[in-house]
Amino acid sequence: PFRVEHPAGGYKKLFETVEELSSPVTAHVTGRIPTWLRGSLLRCGPGLFEVGAEAFYHLFDGQALLHKFDFKEGHVTYHRRFVRTDAYVRAMTEKRIVITEFGTYAYPDPCKNIFSRFFSYFKGVEVTDNALVNVYPVGEDYYACTETNFITKINPDTLETIKQVDLCKYVSVNGATAHPHIETDGTVYNIGNCFGKNFALAYNIIRIPPLQPDKEDPMNKSEVVVQFPCSDRFKPSYVHSFGLTPNYIVFVETPVKINLLKFLSSWSLWGANYMDCFESNETMGVWLHVAEKKKGRLLNIKYRTSAFNLFHHINTYEDNGFLIVDLCTWKGFEFVYNYLYLANLRANWEEVKRQAEKAPQPEARRYVLPLHIDKADTGKNLVTLPYTTATATLRSDETIWLEPEVIFSGPRHAFEFPQINYKKYGGKPYTYTYGLGLNHFVPDRLCKLNVKTKETWVWQEPDAYPSEPIFVSHPDALEEDDGVVLSIVISPGTGPKPAYLLILNAKDMSEVARAEVEVNIPVTFHGLFKRA
């Protein structure tokens, strides 16, 4: 299954600028859309990869485009609008890149004189609000987000931008991830870096309560529930997601570090961007932290393992005094984002493969964390669960060394952008996860994985480039995988229609239907299905 090649380079279309639509367009359906599938698939990604003659350089720099596929009575429409962020509006107004993005420095305004330029050095960094990563609900509202302190309220029906929201005004964090956890009652949990006690760095878990009968904006009631310490008081780790179960919060602290001195110094003095502020700690490996969710109390257990990058938690659950933590890891301490510059991703296939050769290798893993430690077991493996090969060894310095069970591994083939039947199985024992298969960083297949047996099911077509698969449960589902999987696919080489929405049967990843559109759709990262 690992021998698929892409010499035609059709994947380059994922990184091409497109125009927004003034109104939704009708998609051409082949197969039959399930009648029960009613609602909207909302997704975010970059859609503008240059402003005039100025190019964006990194995958996470292009201006945020919000996409929507609507399903109603077997018919499908497609709509998309640029999010009217400060970054976008100012770029459109001044016809240049105004706000520094993840991997692209915004040069000072050439029209300003030397004095006003000099003074703007002391304003500090204008943080981007380019909400290109994900969209999620808070109460009855929907927000598009990136990983800074700015999130953007949007209208999920019209895709219009409502307003920019600064999380700093509500709760003590410098930013928040694009991967909040949302409980069945609507409670939102997220994590962000912050300044803790006596100026040491820390990570705050924030909780936004569900909408109350008084209909007040839940954001006003956000609070910090627990603070995780930082392994290095001046250098926080990059955090992209975290784990949540009914009783515990799991935070994985990786060796990819943010150099705060670089981050806080005047970028304009040396033409820096966010990527320039990352560095790797070559010796710390990975530290895992656990807190009790309800009491907001840190467990004083020091879990350690060897170095990896982590972006996406698959799922986390409790079993008999253990936490099972399933992750999409990349082995090693070098930052994987170093490989996601657009120049790399747009290269010819042989060059794409050559670049990926030296990158960290992807692997889906299961770690098992014992919650009850007996010093008498020093030197022993504490994992007594019958179904896993993962181990946790208590060392004499009272740290616990973890070794994983591998749940998916293929050379330079990642199981990434994992999704599960989240409403019913998030934070609970589960069997299936759905992922996007990356082949040397090129997304070329959709994969279902049985985490218990390691069995896989794959959907793949030549010169077809899918996106993160979103699981939608059948309304009368009896089993975990009763439902469909939705993905946006581009197929630039294969005939008149450049892109389509693909619907697969979640049982066996066989095609149920597709809805083709006449326009190209660039890469999208994350999103959700909003039931009608």
Side-chain angles (χ1 to χ4, degrees):
F2 298 133
R3 285 284 142 246
V4 178
E5 305 286 331
H6 300 285
Y11 51 82
K12 296 176 194 181
K13 280 279 200 216
L14 289 166
F15 316 111
E16 260 178 33
T17 293
V18 295
E19 291 183 358
E20 63 179 12
L21 296 171
S22 51
S23 58
V25 296
T26 304
H28 172 72
V29 174
T30 52
R32 285 187 59 184
I33 312 271
T35 46
W36 56 264
L37 188 66
R38 295 181 59 238
S40 321
L41 176 70
L42 293 168
R43 294 189 58 74
C44 288
L48 181 76
F49 293 90
E50 61 286 311
V51 180
E54 299 181 23
F56 289 112
Y57 294 114
H58 200 273
L59 176 61
F60 303 133
D61 293 350
Q63 297 301 288
L65 185 58
L66 186 57
H67 306 256
K68 174 172 70 110
F69 278 92
D70 262 334
F71 304 87
K72 197 174 176 181
E73 270 92 69
H75 297 285
V76 182
T77 59
Y78 170 63
H79 194 30
R80 67 179 176 218
R81 304 282 297 184
F82 282 103
V83 184
R84 266 40 179 198
T85 57
D86 282 0
Y88 178 80
V89 170
R90 292 172 67 179
M92 291 299 103
T93 308
E94 302 191 31
K95 298 185 173 42
R96 66 184 189 91
I97 298 171
V98 181
I99 305 279
T100 292
E101 297 291 358
F102 194 72
T104 303
Y105 171 66
Y107 285 92
D109 184 349
C111 307
K112 283 188 179 164
N113 67 33
I114 190 78
F115 284 107
S116 56
R117 289 250 289 277
F118 178 77
F119 283 110
S120 68
Y121 281 141
F122 299 101
K123 268 218 308 270
V125 181
E126 282 198 273
V127 173
T128 181
D129 61 344
N130 181 25
L132 79 164
V133 184
N134 202 358
V135 53
Y136 61 87
V138 176
E140 290 177 341
D141 302 319
Y142 284 80
Y143 291 90
C145 68
T146 175
E147 300 183 313
T148 65
N149 52 299
F150 295 117
I151 60 179
T152 307
K153 192 165 162 179
I154 56 104
N155 179 324
D157 302 319
T158 64
L159 305 188
E160 284 166 327
T161 301
I162 299 169
K163 66 169 181 179
Q164 180 199 75
V165 170
D166 181 354
L167 292 169
C168 294
K169 295 206 166 75
Y170 296 95
V171 71
S172 166
V173 285
N174 301 331
T177 76
H179 293 287
H181 277 281
I182 297 166
E183 297 187 319
T184 36
D185 68 357
T187 306
V188 178
Y189 284 87
N190 208 340
I191 187 170
N193 298 116
C194 68
F195 291 102
K197 297 188 178 57
N198 42 6
F199 276 119
L201 261 290
Y203 310 88
N204 277 345
I205 294 281
I206 59 177
R207 175 179 177 275
I208 309 171
L211 193 66
Q212 300 301 317
D214 65 9
K215 295 283 188 196
E216 196 203 332
D217 184 353
M219 294 291 290
N220 293 325
K221 301 172 184 162
S222 347
E223 55 180 4
V224 173
V225 288
V226 65
Q227 187 167 88
F228 289 108
C230 189
S231 62
D232 174 331
R233 56 174 292 187
F234 296 118
K235 292 177 183 172
S237 292
Y238 174 67
V239 50
H240 191 94
S241 65
F242 65 103
L244 189 73
T245 72
N247 299 296
Y248 297 96
I249 300 165
V250 178
F251 164 51
V252 179
E253 192 175 19
T254 72
V256 176
K257 292 287 185 180
I258 299 161
N259 182 327
L260 266 188
L261 295 175
K262 278 189 185 170
F263 192 85
L264 297 175
S265 67
S266 235
W267 291 7
S268 41
L269 287 174
W270 48 292
N273 56 53
Y274 297 79
M275 273 298 284
D276 296 321
C277 299
F278 290 101
E279 58 188 47
S280 293
N281 180 317
E282 302 187 358
T283 54
M284 71 172 276
V286 167
W287 297 16
L288 292 88
H289 307 266
V290 176
E292 293 179 3
K293 190 182 88 175
K294 296 183 177 82
K295 296 190 185 112
R297 192 177 69 196
L298 243 42
L299 292 197
N300 186 23
I301 309 178
K302 296 179 167 62
Y303 304 99
R304 301 287 183 265
T305 191
S306 48
F308 58 76
N309 283 223
L310 169 67
F311 307 102
H312 301 122
H313 280 249
I314 303 172
N315 199 11
T316 317
Y317 67 89
E318 307 162 19
D319 185 2
N320 275 302
F322 296 93
L323 282 174
I324 286 75
V325 181
D326 292 350
L327 309 171
C328 295
T329 68
W330 296 80
K331 290 140 70 164
F333 51 72
E334 193 204 355
F335 196 21
V336 169
Y337 287 3
N338 291 345
Y339 295 86
L340 302 182
Y341 282 94
L342 291 167
N344 297 11
L345 299 172
R346 288 169 172 153
N348 291 327
W349 177 238
E350 290 306 318
E351 178 61 19
V352 163
K353 284 195 293 188
R354 211 177 57 73
Q355 301 265 12
E357 268 172 13
K358 294 196 169 124
Q361 285 266 22
E363 192 162 80
R365 293 176 166 180
R366 166 166 290 182
Y367 286 92
V368 178
L369 283 52
L371 295 167
H372 311 296
I373 313 301
D374 182 347
K375 285 211 183 97
D377 289 330
T378 302
K380 297 200 185 312
N381 164 36
L382 308 179
V383 180
T384 52
L385 295 175
Y387 55 80
T388 181
T389 59
T391 60
T393 307
L394 180 57
R395 300 192 288 194
S396 48
D397 63 0
E398 294 191 16
T399 60
I400 295 183
W401 183 263
L402 305 174
E403 289 290 345
E405 172 181 353
V406 175
I407 52 183
F408 180 89
S409 198
R412 292 173 191 89
H413 277 67
F415 178 95
E416 256 293 350
F417 295 89
Q419 288 286 324
I420 59 169
N421 182 341
Y422 183 81
K423 275 202 169 43
K424 278 213 186 103
Y425 294 85
K428 302 189 177 76
Y430 75 117
T431 307
Y432 302 110
T433 173
Y434 308 87
L436 178 62
L438 305 181
N439 173 358
H440 298 75
F441 298 110
V442 172
D444 69 354
R445 64 188 197 275
L446 296 169
C447 184
K448 174 186 183 179
L449 170 65
N450 180 322
V451 296
K452 295 175 176 169
T453 67
K454 325 278 197 290
E455 186 180 359
T456 58
W457 297 257
V458 173
W459 179 92
Q460 185 165 41
E461 277 186 11
D463 303 308
Y465 304 98
S467 69
E468 169 190 63
I470 302 267
F471 175 83
V472 184
S473 177
H474 190 286
D476 311 314
L478 296 172
E479 290 174 297
E480 182 181 339
D481 56 354
D482 279 345
V484 294
V485 166
L486 307 179
S487 177
I488 298 176
V489 184
I490 69 156
S491 49
T494 56
K497 306 269 201 251
Y500 54 93
L501 186 286
L502 178 66
I503 305 181
L504 302 179
N505 181 341
K507 286 272 181 210
D508 60 1
M509 300 298 275
S510 61
E511 183 170 333
V512 173
R514 61 178 69 182
E516 299 176 301
V517 293
E518 311 267 355
V519 289
N520 182 38
I521 302 180
V523 61
T524 55
F525 301 128
H526 300 290
L528 56 81
F529 185 77
K530 175 180 176 280
R531 290 187 190 264

